[in-house]
């Protein structure tokens, strides 16, 4: 990460994450201006060397680069539209959470106001901001990203995804899908083993080994998905479906909620009914690509 070049940067929005972003810029030696609707949140940062702008307009004018971290995209639009801010020539890095459609619309809105715009997503918690463990995703024009890469590296490990402004938001939610799926699967297994007196701490190392092993399959499975061909090199989907039935039966027998494995089985059954029972598990991508009604 860059710790040498002093570049002026503004941070708007000083929740826990916004404070962590501003603090990382300060630690890297960047002149940092901050603004927040509740000014008291800026006090610790001012004590560390930040400058508190009296208005959001002053904050934007203070630096060529403004990093915004608010509650959502409507809050961003409300803040800047309500104050009739002049954005001409400004570069905005929006690290506010939202969906890909909101990101693309925000980019169009910013362009109409004369601003350069990059969308982003923070795949980290506030305490690790400013370290290599903080992954920060960016999408938008590559030239704008490269122009500010050295400054943004103060925040963590950067990943540029492409020119489509919606990509950072899409990667963000895709990552959340992975996170919740892994955690829910672990909780299902933990609940099962608790019925036999096995505690979560005892099961966790085994579960971690299973998760790591499954992760090793992803590159090969990704190749099958991208080719649209799913030869059963490990096992056929119909075999997996039989194992899912065992999981459902075991859960119901010991009194554990079986909703999650029943969802797995329902998707597999639809794919098998469509003639894919002899193919490998990644063929289920076809089910994920179909929107469900109701």
């Amino acid at each position: 990460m860059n710790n040498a070049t002093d570049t002026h940067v503004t941070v708007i929005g000083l929740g826990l994450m916004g404070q962590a972003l501003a603090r990382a810029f300060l630690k890297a030696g960047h002149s940092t201006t901050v603004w927040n609707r509740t000014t008291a949140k800026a006090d610790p940062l001012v004590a560390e060397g930040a400058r508190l702008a009296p208005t959001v307009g002053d904050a934007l004018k203070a630096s060529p680069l403004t990093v915004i971290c608010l509650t959502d995209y409507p809050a961003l639009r409300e803040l800047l539209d309500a104050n009739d801010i002049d954005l001409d020539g400004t570069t905005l890095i929006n690290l506010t959470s939202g969906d890909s459609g909101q990101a693309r619309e925000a980019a169009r809105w910013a362009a109409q106001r004369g601003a350069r715009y990059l969308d982003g997503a923070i795949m980290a918690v506030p305490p690790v901001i400013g370290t290599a463990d903080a992954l920060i995703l960016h999408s938008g024009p590559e030239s704008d990203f490269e122009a500010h890469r050295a400054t943004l590296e103060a925040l963590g490990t950067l990943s540029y995804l492409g020119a489509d402004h919606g990509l950072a938001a899409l990667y963000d939610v895709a990552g959340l899908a992975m996170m919740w799926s892994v955690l829910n699967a672990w909780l299902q297994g933990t609940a099962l083993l608790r019925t036999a007196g096995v505690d979560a701490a005892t099961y966790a190392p085994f579960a971690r080994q299973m998760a790591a092993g499954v992760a090793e399959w992803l590159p090969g499975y990704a190749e099958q998905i991208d080719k649209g061909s799913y030869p059963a090199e490990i096992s056929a989907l119909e075999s997996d479906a039989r194992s899912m039935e065992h999981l459902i039966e075991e859960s119901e027998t010991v009194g554990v909620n079986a909703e999650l494995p029943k969802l797995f089985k329902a998707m597999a059954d639809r794919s098998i009914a469509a003639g894919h029972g002899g193919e490998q598990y990644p063929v289920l991508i076809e089910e994920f690509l179909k929107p469900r009604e109701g």
Side-chain angles (χ1 to χ4, degrees):
M1 293 186 297
N2 185 288
N3 289 308
T5 304
D6 178 6
T7 301
H8 289 267
V9 61
T10 288
V11 177
I12 292 177
L14 299 177
L16 291 177
M17 184 60 77
Q19 291 177 46
L21 299 173
R23 189 163 284 115
F25 284 129
L26 287 168
K27 186 176 180 180
H30 297 299
S31 299
T32 305
T33 297
V34 296
W35 183 89
N36 192 71
R37 199 180 300 273
T38 304
T39 58
K41 289 187 177 181
D43 291 345
L45 296 167
V46 171
E48 295 172 35
R51 172 183 175 270
L52 175 62
T55 69
V56 66
D58 291 326
L60 286 158
K61 292 176 182 177
S63 312
L65 176 68
T66 296
V67 175
I68 303 176
C69 188
L70 301 175
T71 54
D72 52 32
Y73 283 76
L76 166 67
R77 293 283 297 272
E78 179 185 1
L79 177 66
L80 299 187
D81 279 336
N83 289 276
D84 193 26
I85 302 299
D86 180 12
L87 298 178
D88 191 39
T90 300
T91 296
L92 303 177
I93 309 288
N94 185 21
L95 298 180
T96 298
S97 296
D99 62 44
S100 59
Q102 289 176 313
R104 295 181 184 114
E105 175 56 32
R108 288 189 289 269
W109 168 84
Q112 291 169 357
R113 303 286 298 274
R116 296 182 177 276
Y117 180 90
L118 288 169
D119 208 82
I122 303 171
M123 310 302 288
V125 293
V128 301
I129 296 297
T131 74
D133 291 333
L135 175 61
I136 316 293
L137 310 179
H138 293 279
S139 55
E142 186 172 10
S143 58
D144 292 338
F145 172 73
E146 291 298 336
H148 298 286
R149 176 195 284 271
T151 303
L152 295 171
E153 282 179 340
L155 302 180
T157 300
L158 307 183
S159 179
Y160 174 72
L161 303 173
D164 178 358
H165 285 93
L167 283 174
L170 278 174
Y171 268 78
D172 184 19
V173 295
L176 292 176
M178 285 291 298
M179 179 184 73
W180 286 322
S181 295
V182 171
L183 288 175
N184 285 336
W186 175 68
L187 291 171
Q188 178 82 35
T190 299
L192 283 165
L193 286 167
R194 281 190 68 176
T195 67
V198 179
D199 61 25
T202 299
Y203 172 51
F206 173 80
R208 184 176 182 178
Q209 184 178 13
M210 286 293 297
V214 171
E216 292 299 315
W217 302 348
L218 297 184
Y221 278 8
E223 186 175 347
Q224 288 192 344
I225 290 171
D226 290 341
K227 289 181 177 179
S229 176
Y230 311 96
E233 299 168 347
I234 297 175
S235 68
L237 181 60
E238 56 193 7
S239 297
D240 291 323
R242 287 193 290 271
S243 296
M244 292 173 191
E245 188 62 45
H246 298 329
L247 174 56
I248 294 168
E249 291 172 354
E250 182 70 38
S251 297
E252 292 179 335
T253 297
V254 299
V256 167
N257 189 305
E259 290 178 82
L260 188 60
K262 283 181 177 179
L263 174 60
F264 301 159
K265 181 69 161 46
M267 297 186 75
D269 285 346
R270 290 197 298 269
S271 186
I272 291 169
H276 300 298
E279 297 176 88
Q280 195 155 262
Y281 197 84
V283 73
L284 279 180
I285 187 66
E286 303 299 335
E287 292 300 315
F288 281 95
L289 289 169
K290 295 175 184 176
R292 297 291 294 169
E293 297 181 358

